[in-house]
Amino acid sequence: MRILWSVLLAVGAVAVGVAVIAGIVILGAPQPGADVAAPAGPAARWAPAAPVALSASPAAVGVAGLAAAGWIAKVSAASGIPARALESYAGVAIQMSGASPGCDIGWNTLAGIGEVESHHGTIFGGSIDAGGLVGPPIYGVPLDGGSFANVPDTDKGAIDGDATIDRAVGPMQLIPGTWRNWHTDANGDGREDPQNIDDATMAAAHYLCRASPAMGAEEGWRAGVRAYNGSDQYVADVARYAASYATLAAKAAPVR
């Protein structure tokens, strides 16, 4: 797969080429060899919400325990999505199905975005701990208006560690202004942290459902993803991953 954005590695953080749409920044395209199997037939234009198996005994707090552990294990093995990231995508989708049922955002769409943005928080050897925190922290390049968009500093470095200019942060690559609008504590640890995959995924889901309240149809889905990033290639990449994840999950762990 060709690289769509230049990639840089900064000390203590990931810094990559970015494109800004509606306050959200893309971290980078998947590296060669990172692809999952594409669905058969014509390239997917969008991806309906894929089903997920609910846990019979969900955790008392947080989204990570809402999906069935057996389903997580099988789908993770089939798709290559790290289990801890998949717990986040699935749990957020389950919670959103109650909070915003008309939006119909699927775990597979969130996973598609997570793959394109940061390889599910693991870009360049990063990892996600049991509580959902990515390490090392993920930061985009300075949005100083050079080769990238110009986003003046809005947080004095409190969110992105840079008091001179804004940067995108975390596994879902949210800029400080977007994080301030949709900040949330989705894992119940008492902290709101865009470097936490649960918190970041929930913020992204709320953003998507606000941008396009009906993602259960192609037009609404494409509008939502386009609001995240307006590149046609970006929408196509997310559609391909999201559709492929749904296909792999249906084969590995069908939900009846």
Side-chain angles (χ1 to χ4, degrees):
M1 175 172 182
R2 73 179 183 277
I3 299 299
L4 304 178
W5 293 271
S6 60
V7 181
L8 305 171
L9 182 60
V11 176
V14 175
V16 293
V18 292
V20 181
I21 296 294
I24 304 231
V25 179
I26 181 168
L27 197 159
Q31 295 171 294
D35 293 329
V36 297
R45 286 181 50 84
W46 74 294
V52 55
L54 305 182
S55 172
S57 55
V61 295
V63 299
L66 296 181
W71 183 90
I72 292 289
K74 290 178 182 178
V75 174
S76 175
S79 66
I81 302 172
R84 186 59 186 83
L86 183 57
E87 288 178 343
S88 179
Y89 304 140
V92 167
I94 291 168
Q95 193 164 99
M96 291 295 290
S97 69
S100 300
C103 178
D104 200 23
I105 189 167
W107 66 266
N108 50 317
T109 291
L110 296 170
I113 291 173
E115 166 62 43
V116 175
E117 294 291 357
S118 70
H119 304 325
H120 311 299
T122 68
I123 193 166
F124 299 128
S127 61
I128 310 170
D129 70 16
L133 194 65
V134 300
I138 301 171
Y139 297 102
V141 296
L143 300 177
D144 56 11
S147 300
F148 313 108
N150 182 16
V151 184
D153 179 66
T154 61
D155 68 326
K156 294 182 171 53
I159 296 171
D160 61 8
D162 190 334
T164 64
I165 199 75
D166 270 357
R167 299 171 181 255
V169 299
M172 301 302 272
Q173 284 292 275
L174 308 170
I175 61 174
T178 299
W179 176 250
R180 281 199 309 275
N181 285 335
W182 303 110
H183 60 92
T184 185
D185 174 17
N187 68 344
D189 67 354
R191 294 187 58 204
E192 297 176 343
D193 189 346
Q195 300 286 356
N196 182 284
I197 196 164
D198 296 339
D199 297 353
T201 301
M202 182 63 79
H206 279 295
Y207 174 89
L208 288 161
C209 288
R210 177 63 180 269
S212 181
M215 295 189 68
E218 179 179 345
E219 183 177 356
W221 188 93
R222 292 179 65 83
V225 176
R226 184 170 291 280
Y228 211 98
N229 186 289
S231 160
D232 289 339
Q233 186 63 59
Y234 183 87
V235 176
D237 287 343
V238 172
R240 179 168 60 89
Y241 280 109
S244 185
Y245 289 148
T247 299
L248 292 168
K251 292 178 179 178
V255 178
R256 295 180 172 84

